[in-house]
Amino acid sequence: MLDKTAINWMAVCFVLALLLLLGGYFVFYAQNSNKNYQLQHSYKIKNNLWLYITEDREGNATVPITNRFYITDKISGGEDFIANKLKYQIPFLTGSGTISQVKVSDNYNIAITYSGKVSSLSDSISYSLNGQQVNAHLSYQIN
């Protein structure tokens, strides 16, 4: 009878240890999930129009660093807050290069000069500016 009780307690301790280990892993992962996604630069383009560049360093030696480019109104807050907010928006351009020039016309046609590898790009964006929805057309010169 004593052997049976000891075996039951060992099984309970083993299950509790596994649950504790699993819980610790999830807590650690939740704290470190945004560390690879960083705000690199923010540039004022025109009045309330800003260019934000984030960098995703989740790759390793064989996976290149990916930059994501966003055009939107100004986002107030620290770098971590801005990066976290942009993480859930759709970038207009993704790649491993750089933007050297952005020109905006009065009717929100945006011309972008980009150098580097392109993973994805969009020919239009929609964003909120001073409480109004703005649709802008994008054109690219890719070197």
Side-chain angles (χ1 to χ4, degrees):
M1 186 74 168
L2 191 58
D3 291 339
K4 207 174 196 185
T5 303
I7 291 172
N8 285 340
W9 277 108
M10 283 177 40
V12 168
C13 289
F14 180 72
V15 168
L16 288 176
L18 284 177
L19 288 174
L20 186 63
L21 185 65
L22 186 63
Y25 172 76
F26 282 119
V27 168
F28 177 76
Y29 180 76
Q31 289 176 351
N32 292 323
S33 64
N34 288 334
K35 292 201 184 223
N36 292 332
Y37 196 84
Q38 303 170 359
L39 178 68
Q40 291 300 41
H41 300 288
S42 60
Y43 301 103
K44 184 176 181 179
I45 299 172
K46 183 179 180 181
N47 295 339
N48 292 330
L49 194 61
W50 287 72
L51 170 68
Y52 292 98
I53 303 168
T54 61
E55 185 174 83
D56 186 0
R57 293 186 169 262
E58 289 186 11
N60 53 30
T62 60
V63 178
I65 294 171
T66 304
N67 295 318
R68 291 184 175 91
F69 301 90
Y70 306 86
I71 292 180
T72 186
D73 57 344
K74 183 175 182 174
I75 302 172
S76 298
E79 288 184 7
D80 290 338
F81 176 78
I82 294 170
N84 194 35
K85 189 167 183 178
L86 290 172
K87 187 176 185 177
Y88 299 104
Q89 293 185 13
I90 298 172
F92 70 89
L93 174 64
T94 304
S96 58
T98 58
I99 290 179
S100 59
Q101 188 176 30
V102 177
K103 291 182 182 178
V104 180
S105 66
D106 290 336
N107 57 356
Y108 291 102
N109 286 325
I110 302 172
I112 298 164
T113 304
Y114 177 82
S115 297
K117 184 177 179 183
V118 175
S119 300
S120 69
L121 58 87
S122 176
D123 64 350
S124 64
I125 58 171
S126 180
Y127 59 92
S128 176
L129 184 62
N130 298 329
Q132 294 182 353
Q133 195 69 16
V134 176
N135 296 317
H137 176 72
L138 302 171
S139 61
Y140 298 93
Q141 177 181 348
I142 300 175
N143 301 324

